[in-house]
């Protein structure tokens, strides 16, 4: 079997060898807890403070405002529940949108059950939130707005600067989930103008189990994990030193080559989009065509299940064929049969949402791999459609949203 | 400088080489997310399910009832808040004790601010909770009892079986924090009779950043980390695959040699206690003499600060001397000047609580190292006492609690 092509990097990435090398000494040599004052502890303490600086540098933050977590889910949960609880004297209304990640939507749902009110704004056919709608939704008792920086499934980059301006004007705390942007596109939290920013190491070649929440000085937030005095009493628990060191190293590596790599991936992304659109019919690009993550491609493919496509690509039967790993819907809900709530929020009918595939690139992705993947995708879809009882060529259900055409149900 | 002697293993342990070797492939080879259905994901999925089985086996649990977390702080926070929120229709009263870990006390304090009532029972001079007091504290609206299995600072093992019997009789959910016992003493959750059990990998030679909460089938608990469908929708977030694999391997290794190792460490522990008691004066053993973790020694040393002792031992000035790493108070609050709330709960005056040291052993600890450490401790204390403006030989403030003598303030 030839070398596999991994194009599911929005789910998780391979840990960079330099990142792993940086982590190893903290398992067996400098394995002390940073909370302790003796030499072994100091080594660990210095290591996590260097990681804090590097993480801060990646997003233009002050290192004193970086708090380490176990990943973006914890960061997002913390931001939502922590600000809601800290600000409940002011009000209990929160604004977000229908196409958010579950790690935002679920804590919001939890708060709703406990007396908070939540406004989930719609998104347009490209997945964009309208800043004017955010402004209109703000009430006297609104304490928090949470909008993802870029959608993990369809790659659409939100107008967060504009929303930040509105939030600031109305003195509402603004959280941005940057799990898909940190390490992939230039991020400067000062320029973004938000108050909290979540990130996750394993999305940019760092280890799983490590992330951070940036909390602007002065922002009120109660801890989510409570106990020891770690992280200035804001996030308890023995530091995951190797994980944090890995996050820091990944941040340093990403920052060193951010603009070049972002451009390189954008080229490959657009190559893939162009090739799919020119070689396949009855397909729809999901997400905005240009306001889009450099490494994200998402298509709905009429008449077949995304899961069948994904599995066929990952277990190729032809001799010498290379497995291609992509995803369908959101990796977090894979294994369930629910169609992606994000694709439904775009206005896609459930059948099209079921037939979606996401191709997400990494620094390992090459133009040659992209070419191979697109060819394999086209062949697999051709084969699956030939067997599909529901696919009728040309019975168009869909058109790309950013061309101004909306989805229509097939007649 | 000679090889350091690390005797602060209740804070954290060196990751076992076999554990690290087991983890490595999941950073760069089988780095997929277990939530995905293709081969890379399946490899990760199989790995975490094996880890789940091994973790379950360590504590006599059903693997279906093991939920992976980022460590004991998360497990403890989750148990407290999750059960409180799930059961609030029944009542809002929780029972715990004054000598608990901060990762129990802080979420309890948080709940108190939000309308829950908390009864913190006292402990006796040895740190024991009285089961009769637990029984007496149970009210109609009591929904949760949380008692640590063994105290992280003084090593006292609580009568959890007895308390479990009471909890079961009264139909109150019972959580046990086993961060210090799992992997160190035989644990069988069925025999213990509790409903939830927390554990942490890095306390028994696994990696930092990985732990678990065992939740007996049928126990109602809301998630703490919400989002994706991982862990049967009970704990969201991309699995920390290498960390979980490390936890599983550490559990397997610990289980293989649990009784022998527990006996070996008990011998070294009692040797250290005996040597300190025979060679030093004006000292007090903290914690129960026999109902005690095999790897825990804790003494109050009159007239000097625990921090000075710790630092002097860790940075020895004599040529060729070996650094000895121990702790003072709880590692989690090191860096603060507050005396340990646990030692205060035993009835110790603040001065004695300040002068406490904890020596905690690991599988690397030898009798020879113990001998060296005790000698170094005695020398350091002699030297510091000679410089101490407050130490008066024989002006006894303290006596060991388990001898039935109580602490008295020095006149």
């Amino acid at each position: 079997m030839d070398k596999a092509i991994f194009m599911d990097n929005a789910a998780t990435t391979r840990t960079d060898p330099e990142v792993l090398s940086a982590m190893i000494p903290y398992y067996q040599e400098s394995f002390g807890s940073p909370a302790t004052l003796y030499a072994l502890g100091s080594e660990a303490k210095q290591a996590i403070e260097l990681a804090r600086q590097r993480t801060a540098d990646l997003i233009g933050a002050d290192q004193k405002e970086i708090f380490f977590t176990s990943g973006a889910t914890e960061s997002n949960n913390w931001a939502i529940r922590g600000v809601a609880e800290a600000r409940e004297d002011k009000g209990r209304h929160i604004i977000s949108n229908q196409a958010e990640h579950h790690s935002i939507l679920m804590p919001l749902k939890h708060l709703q059950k406990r007396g908070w009110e939540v406004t989930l704004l719609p998104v347009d056919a490209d997945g964009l939130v309208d800043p004017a709608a955010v402004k209109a939704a703000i009430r006297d008792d609104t304490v928090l707005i949470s909008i993802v920086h870029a959608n993990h499934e369809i790659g659409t980059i939100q107008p967060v600067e504009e929303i930040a301006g509105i939030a600031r004007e109305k003195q509402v705390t603004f959280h941005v989930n940057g799990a898909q942007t940190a390490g992939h596109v230039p991020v400067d939290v000062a320029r973004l103008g938000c108050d909290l920013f979540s990130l996750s190491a394993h999305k940019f070649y760092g280890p799983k189990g490590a992330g951070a929440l940036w909390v602007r000085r002065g922002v009120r937030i109660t801890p989510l994990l409570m106990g020891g005095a770690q992280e200035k009493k804001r996030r308890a628990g023995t530091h995951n030193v190797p994980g944090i060191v890995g996050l820091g190293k990944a941040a340093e590596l990403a920052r060193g080559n951010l603009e070049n790599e972002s451009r390189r991936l954008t080229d490959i992304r657009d190559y893939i989009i162009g090739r799919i659109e020119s070689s396949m019919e009855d397909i729809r690009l999901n997400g905005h065509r240009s306001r889009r993550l450099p490494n994200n491609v998402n298509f709905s493919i009429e008449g077949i299940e995304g899961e069948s496509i994904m599995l066929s690509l990952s277990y190729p039967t032809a001799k010498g064929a290379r497995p291609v790993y992509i995803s369908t819907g959101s990796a977090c809900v894979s294994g369930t049969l629910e169609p992606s709530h994000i694709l439904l929020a775009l206005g896609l009918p459930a059948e099209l949402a079921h037939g979606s595939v996401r191709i997400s690139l990494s620094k390992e992705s090459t133009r040659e791999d992209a070419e191979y993947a697109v060819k394999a995708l086209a062949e697999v879809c051709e084969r699956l459609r030939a067997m599909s009882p529901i696919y009728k060529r040309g019975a168009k259900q869909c058109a790309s949203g950013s061309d101004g055409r909306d989805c229509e149900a097939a007649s």
Side-chain angles (χ1 to χ4, degrees), chain A:
Chain A
M1 192 171 78
D2 270 49
K3 191 168 168 276
I5 296 174
F6 187 78
M7 292 193 171
D8 191 16
N9 294 282
T12 194
T13 59
R14 189 195 305 273
T15 305
D16 186 288
E18 281 191 63
V19 168
L20 184 56
S21 299
M23 293 168 66
I24 296 289
Y26 297 93
Y27 285 108
Q28 299 187 315
E29 294 155 40
S30 307
F31 67 93
S33 165
T36 50
L37 298 173
Y38 45 73
L40 263 186
S42 310
E43 290 164 16
K45 173 88 179 146
Q46 282 168 27
I48 67 166
E49 293 314 323
L50 175 60
R52 200 185 304 279
Q53 186 61 60
R54 287 170 168 174
T55 306
D57 288 346
L58 180 67
I59 59 168
D62 179 342
Q63 54 89 13
K64 291 192 196 75
E65 300 170 1
I66 295 286
F67 299 89
F68 293 118
T69 67
S70 64
T73 288
E74 185 190 326
S75 297
N76 289 340
N77 275 242
W78 180 20
I80 299 289
R81 291 180 76 172
V83 172
E85 287 177 355
R87 300 296 303 280
E88 64 185 323
D89 51 335
K90 204 226 156 198
R92 292 181 139 210
H93 179 240
I94 302 173
I95 298 169
S96 188
N97 75 88
Q98 294 166 1
E100 283 293 321
H101 192 268
H102 278 116
S103 60
I104 298 290
L105 294 175
M106 298 298 277
L108 287 176
K109 212 166 165 182
H110 183 77
L111 288 174
Q112 270 181 307
K113 282 189 212 144
R114 308 186 73 76
W116 273 265
E117 281 181 80
V118 176
T119 301
L120 290 185
L121 299 170
V123 292
D124 71 9
D126 288 334
L128 284 168
V129 172
D130 178 5
V134 174
K135 188 166 189 174
I138 295 176
R139 315 185 321 201
D140 286 346
D141 62 345
T142 306
V143 291
L144 176 65
I145 299 167
S146 179
I147 303 290
V148 73
H149 196 182
N151 188 286
H152 62 289
E153 203 169 318
I154 57 172
T156 298
I157 297 175
Q158 300 292 351
V160 289
E161 293 92 330
E162 235 181 296
I163 297 167
I166 294 163
R168 207 165 37 242
E169 189 194 315
K170 300 276 190 178
Q171 293 184 296
V172 178
T173 301
F174 181 34
H175 168 249
V176 170
N177 171 15
Q180 293 292 332
T181 52
H184 291 284
V185 298
V187 171
D188 179 335
V189 288
R191 199 174 55 76
L192 286 186
C194 57
D195 299 301
L196 304 106
F197 188 91
S198 303
L199 60 84
S200 176
H202 78 100
K203 303 292 191 185
F204 55 96
Y205 322 114
K208 295 171 181 68
L213 182 66
W214 169 73
V215 182
R216 184 193 291 282
R217 196 182 322 257
V219 168
R220 287 174 55 199
I221 182 167
T222 60
L224 181 65
L225 293 196
M226 306 170 193
Q230 294 92 349
E231 298 294 280
K232 296 182 226 157
K233 299 195 179 178
R234 284 185 141 176
R235 200 283 190 178
T238 299
H239 286 97
N240 173 3
V241 181
I244 291 168
V245 166
L247 164 58
K249 188 68 190 175
E252 187 200 25
L253 294 175
R255 184 165 166 252
N257 198 28
L258 199 51
E259 309 217 347
N260 282 342
E261 179 61 8
S262 172
R263 261 196 304 276
R264 190 184 75 85
L265 289 182
T266 301
D267 285 348
I268 301 181
R269 174 197 79 186
D270 290 342
Y271 165 78
I272 295 175
I273 292 174
R275 278 289 309 274
I276 290 177
E277 291 186 327
S278 63
S279 67
M280 293 173 66
E281 52 189 341
D282 304 329
I283 46 125
R284 177 197 200 270
L285 175 67
N286 295 314
H288 197 281
R289 195 169 287 274
S290 57
R291 294 186 56 91
R292 183 179 199 98
L293 285 171
N295 67 340
N296 175 290
V297 174
N298 189 309
F299 275 95
S300 280
I301 295 171
E302 235 177 83
I304 36 180
E305 293 280 329
E307 198 159 292
S308 307
I309 303 171
M310 184 200 80
L311 288 172
S312 300
L313 282 171
S314 70
Y315 297 104
T317 48
K319 196 164 178 295
R322 300 170 68 185
V324 178
Y325 297 127
I326 63 167
S327 84
T328 174
S330 158
C332 296
V333 291
S334 286
T336 76
L337 291 174
E338 298 159 30
S340 151
H341 71 284
I342 292 166
L343 298 177
L344 296 180
L346 302 182
L348 265 67
E351 313 87 79
L352 270 186
H354 272 303
S356 79
V357 292
R358 178 184 69 188
I359 298 170
S360 49
L361 310 171
S362 77
K363 59 182 175 183
E364 296 178 23
S365 304
T366 62
R367 177 85 169 228
E368 292 65 40
D369 286 355
E371 203 173 327
Y372 189 97
V374 171
K375 205 162 153 274
L377 175 69
E379 284 169 8
V380 157
C381 291
E382 187 66 30
R383 182 155 48 82
L384 291 172
R385 278 176 168 175
M387 300 186 292
S388 167
I390 56 165
Y391 177 64
K392 287 184 200 148
R393 189 171 304 270
K396 286 208 193 241
Q397 286 194 300
C398 56
S400 293
S402 43
D403 297 333
R405 291 170 288 158
D406 279 337
C407 279
E408 298 163 42
S411 55

